[in-house]
Amino acid sequence: GNSVTQMEGPVTLSEEAFLTINCTYTATGYPSLFWYVQYPGEGLQLLLKATKADDKGSNKGFEATYRKETTSFHLEKGSVQVSDSAVYFCALNSNTGNQFYFGTGTSLTVIP
Amino acid sequence: DAGVTQSPTHLIKTRGQQVTLRCSPKSGHDTVSWYQQALGQGPQFIFQYYEEEERQRGNFPDRFSGHQFPNYSSELNVNALLLGDSALYLCASSLGFLGEQYFGPGTRLTVT
């Protein structure tokens, strides 16, 4: 079956620190992988995606590489800002039914 | 260009009641998916509508039903509400069955 396992939170970092949020997946076939961000009281916003192995998704300083050999899609950012405080969700889409499978989310708080 | 819109934003219901949530897809999109996001959890897929038919369904009981109208908008109905139905309900739309999904801001349902 399809599932996503995400690093437990919450994570608290100082501004300009390096961020890594781990994500591993189990999937049948060849899924696409995503990171979504959710700010308090809001819906989901697509942060980045990768559709095949070795692809790197990037946006707003965030990056994640689709690693088929380790079934991972870890999110990284070199220097976080207070405005990055949010909940981050790793997700996969099986591409056979266009159904998303989400991790449980990782809450990030960045302090000045 | 309007994105995905959902109504109402919030609502409170009593156990045993019925509720209807509404979603208007992004302009040009014809497929709508619904997700339930319990507090502190990732979204869980409920079902997907395409060409006015339910195409896929997640692991949710028959109390959860839906409809898609000729203008592609959609409703989610939940009967015999339980306390555990309290959640943020997210709608996502796409162009075609396998198109990229865009999420709405959600409807927060509280069952007392």
Side-chain angles (χ1 to χ4, degrees), chain A residues 28-85:
Chain A
T28 53
Y30 303 95
S32 295
L33 302 174
F34 301 78
W35 278 99
Y36 281 86
V37 58
Q38 188 174 39
Y39 298 99
E42 298 185 11
L44 297 174
Q45 296 180 26
L46 177 64
L47 181 59
L48 54 84
K49 68 178 182 179
T51 58
K52 60 183 188 297
D54 299 326
D55 270 2
K56 177 185 282 188
S58 61
N59 186 28
K60 301 180 181 179
F62 290 89
E63 293 184 339
T65 301
Y66 188 162
R67 301 284 189 202
K68 194 169 186 291
E69 63 276 13
T70 55
T71 61
S72 65
F73 193 55
H74 305 321
L75 181 68
E76 296 182 338
K77 187 175 185 184
S79 176
V80 294
Q81 305 300 312
V82 172
S83 57
D84 294 328
S85 298

Side-chain angles (χ1 to χ4, degrees), chain A residues 34 36 38 41-44 46 49 89 93 95-105, chain B residues 33 35 37 40-43 45 48 56 88 90 94 96-101 103-105:
Chain A
F34 301 78
Y36 281 86
Q38 188 174 39
E42 298 185 11
L44 297 174
L46 177 64
K49 68 178 182 179
F89 291 93
N93 189 308
N95 289 330
T96 56
N98 203 18
Q99 174 181 334
F100 276 96
Y101 299 83
F102 286 89
T104 53
Chain B
S33 302
Y35 292 81
Q37 185 180 11
Q41 300 297 313
F45 176 75
Q48 182 182 72
Q56 291 189 91
L88 179 68
L90 297 166
S94 61
F97 188 62
L98 297 177
E100 180 173 339
Q101 295 190 28
F103 284 83

